[in-house]
Amino acid sequence: MLWAYTIYSAALTPVVLAAFYSKRVTAWGAVAAIGAGTVVTLLWDVPGVKTLFPPILAQRDAIFPALFVSVASMIVVSMFTNAPEPQQLAQFSD
């Protein structure tokens, strides 16, 4: 199994990209994305899990649902947590 590659692609890559391109993503959003993407990746091949989804999704590799859940988690959690303060962001802009 290629869990390490899937976890890296689905759980960590969105967080790294968000760090460069978004000022609204929070630390809790990043943690949620990493956790959710990792959990989906590890559970995707457990017997019986794929029967819960339509065949078009169940036949895909773990990266597709893991990436979707990771990004969705990051967005939702970031929406419900406080945005970084301007002085925190100022450390990274120069």
Coordinates of all heavy atoms in Angstrom, one line a residue:
M1 N 0.8 -1.2 0.0 CA 0.0 0.0 0.0 C 0.9 1.2 0.0 O 1.9 1.3 0.6 CB -0.9 0.0 1.2 CG -1.7 -1.2 1.3 SD -3.3 -0.8 1.9 CE -4.1 -2.3 1.7
L2 N 0.4 2.3 -0.6 CA 1.1 3.5 -0.7 C 0.6 4.6 0.2 O 0.3 5.7 -0.1 CB 1.0 4.0 -2.2 CG 1.6 3.1 -3.2 CD1 1.4 3.6 -4.6 CD2 3.1 2.9 -3.0
W3 N 0.4 4.2 1.5 CA -0.2 5.1 2.4 C 0.6 6.4 2.6 O 0.0 7.5 2.7 CB -0.4 4.4 3.8 CG -1.5 3.5 3.8 CD1 -2.5 3.3 3.0 CD2 -1.7 2.5 4.8 NE1 -3.4 2.3 3.3 CE2 -2.9 1.8 4.5 CE3 -1.0 2.1 6.0 CZ2 -3.4 0.7 5.3 CZ3 -1.5 1.0 6.7 CH2 -2.7 0.4 6.4
A4 N 1.9 6.3 2.7 CA 2.7 7.5 2.9 C 2.5 8.5 1.8 O 2.4 9.7 2.1 CB 4.2 7.1 3.0
Y5 N 2.5 8.0 0.5 CA 2.3 9.0 -0.6 C 0.9 9.6 -0.6 O 0.7 10.7 -0.8 CB 2.6 8.3 -1.9 CG 4.0 7.8 -2.0 CD1 4.3 6.5 -2.1 CD2 5.0 8.7 -2.2 CE1 5.6 6.1 -2.2 CE2 6.3 8.3 -2.3 CZ 6.6 7.0 -2.3 OH 7.9 6.6 -2.4
T6 N -0.1 8.8 -0.2 CA -1.4 9.3 -0.2 C -1.6 10.2 1.0 O -2.2 11.3 0.8 CB -2.4 8.1 -0.1 OG1 -2.2 7.2 -1.2 CG2 -3.8 8.6 -0.1
I7 N -1.1 9.9 2.1 CA -1.2 10.8 3.2 C -0.5 12.1 2.9 O -1.0 13.2 3.2 CB -0.6 10.2 4.5 CG1 -1.6 9.1 5.0 CG2 -0.5 11.2 5.6 CD1 -1.0 8.2 6.1
Y8 N 0.7 12.1 2.3 CA 1.4 13.3 2.0 C 0.6 14.1 1.0 O 0.4 15.3 1.1 CB 2.8 12.9 1.4 CG 3.5 14.1 0.9 CD1 4.1 15.0 1.8 CD2 3.6 14.4 -0.5 CE1 4.8 16.2 1.3 CE2 4.2 15.5 -0.9 CZ 4.8 16.4 -0.1 OH 5.4 17.5 -0.5
S9 N 0.1 13.4 -0.1 CA -0.6 14.1 -1.1 C -1.9 14.7 -0.6 O -2.3 15.8 -1.0 CB -0.9 13.2 -2.3 OG 0.3 12.8 -2.8
A10 N -2.7 13.9 0.1 CA -4.0 14.3 0.5 C -4.1 15.1 1.7 O -5.0 16.0 1.9 CB -4.9 13.1 0.6
A11 N -3.2 14.9 2.7 CA -3.3 15.5 4.0 C -2.4 16.7 4.1 O -2.8 17.7 4.7 CB -3.1 14.5 5.1
L12 N -1.2 16.6 3.7 CA -0.2 17.6 3.9 C -0.1 18.7 2.8 O 0.1 19.9 3.1 CB 1.2 17.0 4.1 CG 1.3 16.1 5.3 CD1 2.7 15.5 5.4 CD2 1.1 16.9 6.6
T13 N -0.3 18.3 1.5 CA -0.2 19.2 0.4 C -1.2 20.4 0.5 O -0.8 21.5 0.3 CB -0.3 18.5 -0.9 OG1 0.8 17.5 -1.0 CG2 -0.1 19.5 -2.1
P14 N -2.5 20.1 0.8 CA -3.4 21.2 0.9 C -3.0 22.2 2.0 O -3.1 23.4 1.9 CB -4.7 20.6 1.3 CG -4.6 19.2 0.8 CD -3.2 18.8 0.9
V15 N -2.4 21.7 3.1 CA -2.0 22.6 4.2 C -0.8 23.5 3.8 O -0.7 24.7 4.0 CB -1.6 21.8 5.5 CG1 -1.0 22.6 6.5 CG2 -2.9 21.1 6.0
V16 N 0.1 22.9 3.1 CA 1.3 23.6 2.6 C 0.9 24.7 1.6 O 1.3 25.8 1.7 CB 2.4 22.7 2.0 CG1 3.5 23.4 1.3 CG2 2.9 21.7 3.1
L17 N 0.0 24.3 0.7 CA -0.4 25.3 -0.3 C -1.2 26.4 0.4 O -1.1 27.6 0.0 CB -1.3 24.6 -1.4 CG -0.5 23.7 -2.3 CD1 -1.5 23.0 -3.3 CD2 0.5 24.6 -3.1
A18 N -2.1 26.1 1.3 CA -2.8 27.1 2.1 C -1.9 28.0 2.8 O -2.2 29.2 3.0 CB -3.8 26.4 3.0
A19 N -0.8 27.5 3.3 CA 0.1 28.4 4.1 C 0.7 29.5 3.1 O 1.0 30.6 3.6 CB 1.3 27.6 4.6
F20 N 0.9 29.2 1.9 CA 1.4 30.1 0.9 C 0.3 31.1 0.4 O 0.6 32.2 0.0 CB 2.1 29.4 -0.2 CG 3.4 28.8 0.2 CD1 3.6 27.5 0.1 CD2 4.5 29.6 0.5 CE1 4.8 26.9 0.5 CE2 5.7 29.1 0.9 CZ 5.9 27.7 0.9
Y21 N -0.9 30.6 0.2 CA -1.9 31.3 -0.6 C -3.1 31.8 0.2 O -3.9 32.5 -0.4 CB -2.3 30.5 -1.8 CG -1.2 30.2 -2.8 CD1 -0.7 28.9 -2.9 CD2 -0.7 31.2 -3.5 CE1 0.3 28.6 -3.8 CE2 0.3 30.9 -4.4 CZ 0.8 29.7 -4.5 OH 1.8 29.4 -5.4
S22 N -3.2 31.5 1.5 CA -4.4 31.9 2.2 C -3.9 32.6 3.5 O -3.1 32.0 4.2 CB -5.3 30.7 2.5 OG -6.3 31.1 3.3
K23 N -4.6 33.7 3.8 CA -4.3 34.4 5.1 C -5.4 34.0 6.1 O -5.4 34.4 7.2 CB -4.3 35.9 4.9 CG -3.1 36.3 4.1 CD -3.1 37.8 3.9 CE -1.9 38.2 3.1 NZ -1.8 39.6 2.9
R24 N -6.4 33.2 5.7 CA -7.5 32.9 6.5 C -7.5 31.5 7.2 O -8.1 31.3 8.2 CB -8.8 33.0 5.7 CG -10.1 32.8 6.5 CD -10.2 33.7 7.7 NE -11.3 33.5 8.5 CZ -11.4 32.7 9.6 NH1 -10.3 32.1 10.0 NH2 -12.5 32.6 10.3
V25 N -6.7 30.6 6.6 CA -6.5 29.3 7.2 C -5.9 29.4 8.6 O -4.9 30.1 8.7 CB -5.8 28.4 6.3 CG1 -5.5 27.0 6.9 CG2 -6.5 28.1 5.0
T26 N -6.5 28.7 9.5 CA -6.0 28.8 10.9 C -5.1 27.5 11.2 O -5.2 26.5 10.5 CB -7.1 28.8 11.9 OG1 -7.9 27.6 11.8 CG2 -8.0 30.1 11.6
A27 N -4.4 27.5 12.3 CA -3.7 26.4 12.7 C -4.6 25.2 13.0 O -4.3 24.1 12.7 CB -2.9 26.7 14.0
W28 N -5.7 25.5 13.6 CA -6.7 24.4 13.9 C -7.2 23.8 12.6 O -7.5 22.6 12.5 CB -7.8 24.8 14.8 CG -7.4 25.0 16.2 CD1 -7.3 26.1 16.9 CD2 -7.0 23.9 17.1 NE1 -6.8 25.8 18.2 CE2 -6.6 24.5 18.3 CE3 -6.9 22.5 16.9 CZ2 -6.2 23.7 19.4 CZ3 -6.5 21.8 18.0 CH2 -6.1 22.4 19.2
G29 N -7.4 24.6 11.6 CA -7.9 24.2 10.2 C -6.8 23.3 9.6 O -7.1 22.2 9.0
A30 N -5.5 23.6 9.8 CA -4.5 22.8 9.2 C -4.4 21.5 10.0 O -4.2 20.4 9.3 CB -3.1 23.5 9.4
V31 N -4.5 21.5 11.3 CA -4.5 20.2 12.0 C -5.7 19.3 11.7 O -5.5 18.1 11.5 CB -4.5 20.5 13.6 CG1 -4.7 19.3 14.4 CG2 -3.2 21.2 14.0
A32 N -6.9 19.9 11.5 CA -8.0 19.2 11.1 C -7.8 18.5 9.7 O -8.2 17.4 9.5 CB -9.3 20.1 11.1
A33 N -7.2 19.3 8.8 CA -7.0 18.8 7.4 C -6.0 17.6 7.5 O -6.3 16.6 6.8 CB -6.4 19.9 6.5
I34 N -5.0 17.7 8.2 CA -4.0 16.6 8.3 C -4.6 15.4 8.9 O -4.5 14.3 8.5 CB -2.7 17.1 9.1 CG1 -2.0 18.1 8.2 CG2 -1.8 15.9 9.4 CD1 -0.9 18.8 9.0
G35 N -5.4 15.6 10.0 CA -6.0 14.5 10.7 C -7.1 13.8 9.9 O -7.1 12.6 9.8
A36 N -7.9 14.6 9.2 CA -9.0 14.0 8.4 C -8.5 13.3 7.2 O -8.9 12.2 6.9 CB -10.0 15.1 8.0
G37 N -7.5 13.9 6.5 CA -6.9 13.2 5.4 C -6.2 11.9 5.7 O -6.3 10.9 5.0
T38 N -5.6 11.9 6.9 CA -4.9 10.7 7.3 C -5.9 9.6 7.7 O -5.7 8.4 7.3 CB -4.0 11.0 8.5 OG1 -3.0 12.0 8.1 CG2 -3.2 9.8 9.0
V39 N -6.9 10.0 8.4 CA -7.9 9.0 8.8 C -8.6 8.4 7.6 O -8.8 7.1 7.5 CB -8.9 9.6 9.8 CG1 -10.2 8.7 10.0 CG2 -8.3 9.9 11.1
V40 N -9.0 9.2 6.7 CA -9.7 8.7 5.5 C -8.7 7.7 4.7 O -9.2 6.7 4.2 CB -10.2 9.8 4.6 CG1 -10.7 9.3 3.2 CG2 -11.3 10.6 5.3
T41 N -7.5 8.1 4.6 CA -6.5 7.3 3.9 C -6.4 5.9 4.5 O -6.4 4.9 3.9 CB -5.1 7.9 3.8 OG1 -5.3 9.2 3.1 CG2 -4.1 7.1 3.1
L42 N -6.3 5.9 5.9 CA -6.1 4.6 6.6 C -7.3 3.8 6.6 O -7.2 2.5 6.6 CB -5.6 4.9 8.0 CG -4.2 5.6 8.1 CD1 -3.9 5.9 9.5 CD2 -3.1 4.8 7.5
L43 N -8.5 4.4 6.6 CA -9.7 3.6 6.7 C -10.3 3.2 5.3 O -11.2 2.3 5.3 CB -10.8 4.4 7.4 CG -10.5 4.6 8.9 CD1 -11.7 5.4 9.5 CD2 -10.4 3.3 9.6
W44 N -9.8 3.8 4.2 CA -10.4 3.6 2.9 C -10.4 2.1 2.5 O -11.3 1.6 1.9 CB -9.7 4.4 1.9 CG -10.4 4.4 0.6 CD1 -10.0 3.9 -0.6 CD2 -11.7 5.0 0.3 NE1 -10.9 4.1 -1.6 CE2 -12.0 4.8 -1.0 CE3 -12.7 5.6 1.1 CZ2 -13.2 5.2 -1.6 CZ3 -13.8 6.0 0.5 CH2 -14.1 5.8 -0.8
D45 N -9.3 1.4 2.8 CA -9.2 0.0 2.4 C -9.7 -1.0 3.5 O -9.5 -2.2 3.3 CB -7.8 -0.3 2.0 CG -7.4 0.4 0.7 OD1 -8.3 0.5 -0.2 OD2 -6.2 0.8 0.6
V46 N -10.3 -0.6 4.5 CA -10.8 -1.5 5.5 C -12.1 -2.1 4.9 O -12.9 -1.5 4.3 CB -11.3 -0.7 6.8 CG1 -12.1 -1.5 7.8 CG2 -10.0 -0.1 7.5
P47 N -12.2 -3.4 5.0 CA -13.3 -4.1 4.4 C -14.7 -3.5 4.9 O -14.9 -3.3 6.0 CB -13.2 -5.6 4.9 CG -11.7 -5.7 5.2 CD -11.3 -4.4 5.7
G48 N -15.5 -3.3 3.9 CA -16.9 -2.8 4.2 C -17.0 -1.3 4.1 O -18.1 -0.8 3.9
V49 N -15.9 -0.6 4.1 CA -16.0 0.9 4.0 C -16.5 1.3 2.7 O -17.4 2.2 2.6 CB -14.7 1.6 4.4 CG1 -14.7 3.0 4.1 CG2 -14.3 1.3 5.9
K50 N -16.0 0.8 1.6 CA -16.3 1.2 0.3 C -17.8 0.9 -0.1 O -18.3 1.5 -1.0 CB -15.4 0.6 -0.7 CG -14.0 1.1 -0.6 CD -13.1 0.5 -1.7 CE -11.7 1.0 -1.5 NZ -10.8 0.4 -2.5
T51 N -18.4 -0.1 0.6 CA -19.8 -0.4 0.3 C -20.7 0.7 0.8 O -21.9 0.8 0.4 CB -20.2 -1.7 1.1 OG1 -20.1 -1.5 2.5 CG2 -19.4 -2.9 0.6
L52 N -20.2 1.7 1.6 CA -21.0 2.8 2.0 C -21.2 3.9 1.0 O -22.0 4.8 1.1 CB -20.4 3.4 3.3 CG -20.3 2.5 4.5 CD1 -19.5 3.1 5.6 CD2 -21.6 2.0 5.0
F53 N -20.4 3.8 -0.1 CA -20.3 4.8 -1.1 C -20.8 4.3 -2.5 O -20.7 3.1 -2.7 CB -18.9 5.4 -1.2 CG -18.4 6.0 0.0 CD1 -17.6 5.2 0.9 CD2 -18.7 7.3 0.4 CE1 -17.1 5.7 2.1 CE2 -18.2 7.8 1.6 CZ -17.4 7.0 2.4
P54 N -21.2 5.2 -3.4 CA -21.6 4.8 -4.7 C -20.4 4.2 -5.4 O -19.2 4.6 -5.1 CB -22.1 6.1 -5.4 CG -21.9 7.2 -4.4 CD -21.4 6.6 -3.1
P55 N -20.6 3.3 -6.4 CA -19.5 2.7 -7.1 C -18.5 3.6 -7.7 O -17.3 3.4 -7.7 CB -20.2 1.8 -8.1 CG -21.5 1.5 -7.6 CD -21.9 2.8 -6.8
I56 N -19.0 4.7 -8.2 CA -18.1 5.7 -8.9 C -17.0 6.2 -8.0 O -15.9 6.5 -8.3 CB -18.9 6.8 -9.6 CG1 -17.9 7.6 -10.5 CG2 -19.5 7.7 -8.6 CD1 -18.5 8.0 -11.8
L57 N -17.4 6.3 -6.7 CA -16.4 6.8 -5.7 C -15.7 5.6 -5.1 O -14.5 5.7 -4.8 CB -17.1 7.6 -4.6 CG -16.3 8.2 -3.5 CD1 -15.2 9.2 -4.1 CD2 -17.1 8.9 -2.5
A58 N -16.4 4.6 -4.8 CA -15.7 3.4 -4.2 C -14.6 2.8 -5.0 O -13.7 2.2 -4.4 CB -16.8 2.4 -3.8
Q59 N -14.7 2.9 -6.3 CA -13.6 2.3 -7.1 C -12.4 3.2 -7.2 O -11.4 2.8 -7.8 CB -14.2 2.1 -8.5 CG -15.3 1.1 -8.6 CD -16.1 1.0 -9.9 OE1 -15.8 1.9 -10.8 NE2 -17.0 0.1 -10.0
R60 N -12.4 4.3 -6.7 CA -11.2 5.2 -6.7 C -10.2 4.9 -5.6 O -10.5 4.3 -4.6 CB -11.7 6.7 -6.6 CG -12.7 7.1 -7.6 CD -12.1 7.3 -8.9 NE -13.1 7.6 -9.9 CZ -13.3 6.9 -11.0 NH1 -12.5 5.9 -11.3 NH2 -14.2 7.3 -11.8
D61 N -9.0 5.4 -5.9 CA -8.0 5.3 -4.9 C -8.3 6.2 -3.7 O -9.1 7.1 -3.8 CB -6.6 5.7 -5.4 CG -6.1 4.7 -6.4 OD1 -6.4 3.5 -6.3 OD2 -5.3 5.1 -7.3
A62 N -7.6 5.9 -2.6 CA -7.9 6.7 -1.3 C -7.6 8.1 -1.5 O -8.2 9.0 -0.7 CB -7.1 6.1 -0.2
I63 N -6.8 8.5 -2.4 CA -6.4 9.9 -2.5 C -7.5 10.9 -2.8 O -7.6 12.0 -2.3 CB -5.2 10.2 -3.5 CG1 -4.7 11.6 -3.3 CG2 -5.7 9.9 -4.9 CD1 -3.4 11.8 -4.0
F64 N -8.5 10.4 -3.6 CA -9.6 11.3 -4.0 C -10.5 11.6 -2.8 O -10.7 12.8 -2.5 CB -10.3 10.7 -5.2 CG -9.5 10.6 -6.4 CD1 -9.1 9.4 -6.8 CD2 -9.1 11.7 -7.1 CE1 -8.3 9.3 -8.0 CE2 -8.3 11.7 -8.2 CZ -7.9 10.4 -8.6
P65 N -11.0 10.6 -2.1 CA -11.9 11.0 -0.9 C -11.0 11.7 0.2 O -11.5 12.6 0.8 CB -12.5 9.7 -0.5 CG -11.6 8.6 -1.1 CD -11.0 9.2 -2.3
A66 N -9.8 11.3 0.4 CA -9.0 11.8 1.4 C -8.7 13.3 1.1 O -8.7 14.1 2.0 CB -7.7 11.0 1.6
L67 N -8.4 13.6 -0.1 CA -8.1 15.0 -0.5 C -9.4 15.9 -0.3 O -9.3 17.0 0.2 CB -7.6 15.1 -1.9 CG -7.3 16.5 -2.5 CD1 -6.1 17.1 -1.7 CD2 -7.0 16.4 -4.0
F68 N -10.5 15.4 -0.7 CA -11.7 16.1 -0.6 C -12.1 16.4 0.9 O -12.4 17.5 1.3 CB -12.9 15.4 -1.2 CG -14.2 16.0 -1.0 CD1 -14.6 17.1 -1.7 CD2 -15.1 15.6 0.0 CE1 -15.8 17.8 -1.5 CE2 -16.3 16.2 0.2 CZ -16.7 17.3 -0.5
V69 N -12.0 15.4 1.7 CA -12.2 15.5 3.2 C -11.2 16.4 3.8 O -11.6 17.2 4.7 CB -12.3 14.1 3.8 CG1 -12.4 14.2 5.3 CG2 -13.5 13.3 3.3
S70 N -10.0 16.3 3.4 CA -8.9 17.1 4.0 C -9.2 18.6 3.7 O -9.1 19.5 4.6 CB -7.6 16.7 3.4 OG -6.5 17.5 3.9
V71 N -9.4 19.0 2.5 CA -9.7 20.4 2.1 C -10.9 20.9 2.8 O -11.0 22.0 3.3 CB -9.7 20.5 0.6 CG1 -10.1 21.9 0.2 CG2 -8.3 20.2 0.0
A72 N -12.0 20.1 2.7 CA -13.3 20.5 3.4 C -13.1 20.7 4.8 O -13.6 21.7 5.4 CB -14.3 19.4 3.1
S73 N -12.3 19.8 5.5 CA -12.1 20.0 7.0 C -11.3 21.3 7.2 O -11.6 22.0 8.2 CB -11.3 18.8 7.5 OG -12.0 17.7 7.4
M74 N -10.3 21.6 6.4 CA -9.5 22.8 6.6 C -10.4 24.0 6.5 O -10.3 25.0 7.3 CB -8.4 22.8 5.6 CG -7.5 24.0 5.8 SD -6.0 23.9 4.8 CE -6.6 23.6 3.1
I75 N -11.2 24.0 5.5 CA -12.1 25.2 5.2 C -13.1 25.4 6.3 O -13.3 26.5 6.9 CB -12.8 25.1 3.9 CG1 -11.7 25.2 2.7 CG2 -13.9 26.1 3.7 CD1 -12.3 24.9 1.4
V76 N -13.8 24.3 6.7 CA -14.9 24.4 7.7 C -14.3 24.8 9.1 O -14.8 25.7 9.7 CB -15.7 23.1 7.8 CG1 -16.6 23.1 9.0 CG2 -16.5 22.9 6.5
V77 N -13.2 24.1 9.5 CA -12.6 24.4 10.8 C -12.1 25.9 10.8 O -12.2 26.6 11.8 CB -11.6 23.4 11.2 CG1 -10.8 23.8 12.4 CG2 -12.2 22.0 11.4
S78 N -11.5 26.3 9.7 CA -10.9 27.7 9.7 C -12.0 28.7 9.7 O -11.8 29.8 10.3 CB -10.1 27.8 8.4 OG -8.9 27.1 8.5
M79 N -13.2 28.4 9.2 CA -14.3 29.3 9.2 C -14.8 29.5 10.7 O -15.3 30.6 11.0 CB -15.5 28.8 8.3 CG -15.2 29.0 6.9 SD -16.4 28.2 5.8 CE -18.0 28.7 6.5
F80 N -14.7 28.5 11.5 CA -15.2 28.5 12.8 C -14.2 28.8 13.9 O -14.5 28.8 15.1 CB -16.0 27.3 13.2 CG -17.3 27.1 12.4 CD1 -17.4 26.3 11.3 CD2 -18.4 27.9 12.8 CE1 -18.6 26.2 10.6 CE2 -19.6 27.8 12.1 CZ -19.7 26.9 11.0
T81 N -13.0 29.1 13.5 CA -12.0 29.5 14.5 C -11.5 30.9 14.1 O -11.7 31.4 13.0 CB -10.8 28.5 14.5 OG1 -10.3 28.3 13.2 CG2 -11.2 27.2 15.0
N82 N -10.9 31.6 15.1 CA -10.4 32.9 14.9 C -9.3 33.0 13.8 O -8.4 32.2 13.9 CB -9.9 33.5 16.2 CG -11.0 33.7 17.2 OD1 -12.2 33.9 16.8 ND2 -10.7 33.6 18.4
A83 N -9.4 34.0 12.9 CA -8.4 34.2 11.9 C -7.1 34.6 12.6 O -7.1 35.2 13.7 CB -8.8 35.2 10.9
P84 N -5.9 34.4 12.0 CA -4.7 34.8 12.6 C -4.7 36.4 12.7 O -5.2 37.1 11.8 CB -3.6 34.4 11.5 CG -4.3 33.3 10.8 CD -5.7 33.6 10.8
E85 N -4.0 36.9 13.7 CA -3.9 38.3 13.9 C -3.0 38.9 12.8 O -2.1 38.2 12.4 CB -3.4 38.6 15.3 CG -4.2 38.1 16.4 CD -5.6 38.9 16.5 OE1 -5.6 40.1 16.2 OE2 -6.6 38.2 16.9
P86 N -3.2 40.2 12.5 CA -2.3 40.8 11.5 C -0.8 40.8 11.9 O 0.0 40.6 11.0 CB -2.8 42.3 11.4 CG -4.3 42.2 11.9 CD -4.3 41.0 12.9
Q87 N -0.5 40.9 13.2 CA 0.9 40.9 13.6 C 1.5 39.5 13.4 O 2.7 39.4 13.2 CB 1.1 41.4 15.0 CG 0.4 40.6 16.1 CD -1.0 41.2 16.4 OE1 -1.6 41.9 15.6 NE2 -1.5 41.0 17.6
Q88 N 0.6 38.5 13.5 CA 1.1 37.1 13.2 C 1.5 36.9 11.8 O 2.5 36.3 11.4 CB 0.1 36.1 13.6 CG -0.1 35.9 15.1 CD -1.2 35.0 15.4 OE1 -2.3 35.1 14.9 NE2 -1.0 34.1 16.3
L89 N 0.6 37.5 10.9 CA 0.8 37.4 9.5 C 2.0 38.2 9.0 O 2.7 37.9 8.0 CB -0.4 37.7 8.7 CG -1.6 36.8 8.9 CD1 -2.9 37.4 8.2 CD2 -1.3 35.4 8.4
A90 N 2.2 39.4 9.7 CA 3.3 40.3 9.3 C 4.7 39.6 9.4 O 5.6 40.0 8.7 CB 3.3 41.5 10.2
Q91 N 4.8 38.6 10.2 CA 6.1 37.9 10.3 C 6.5 37.3 9.0 O 7.7 37.1 8.7 CB 6.1 36.9 11.4 CG 5.7 37.3 12.8 CD 5.5 36.2 13.7 OE1 6.1 35.1 13.5 NE2 4.7 36.4 14.7
F92 N 5.5 37.0 8.2 CA 5.8 36.2 7.0 C 5.8 37.0 5.7 O 6.0 36.5 4.6 CB 4.8 35.0 6.9 CG 4.9 34.1 8.1 CD1 3.9 34.2 9.0 CD2 5.9 33.3 8.3 CE1 3.9 33.4 10.1 CE2 6.0 32.5 9.4 CZ 5.0 32.5 10.3
S93 N 5.4 38.3 5.8 CA 5.4 39.1 4.6 C 6.4 40.2 4.6 O 6.5 41.1 5.4 CB 4.0 39.8 4.5 OG 3.8 40.6 5.6
D94 N 7.3 40.0 3.7 CA 8.4 41.0 3.5 C 9.1 40.7 2.2 O 9.2 39.7 1.7 CB 9.4 41.0 4.6 CG 9.1 42.1 5.6 OD1 8.3 43.0 5.4 OD2 9.7 42.0 6.7

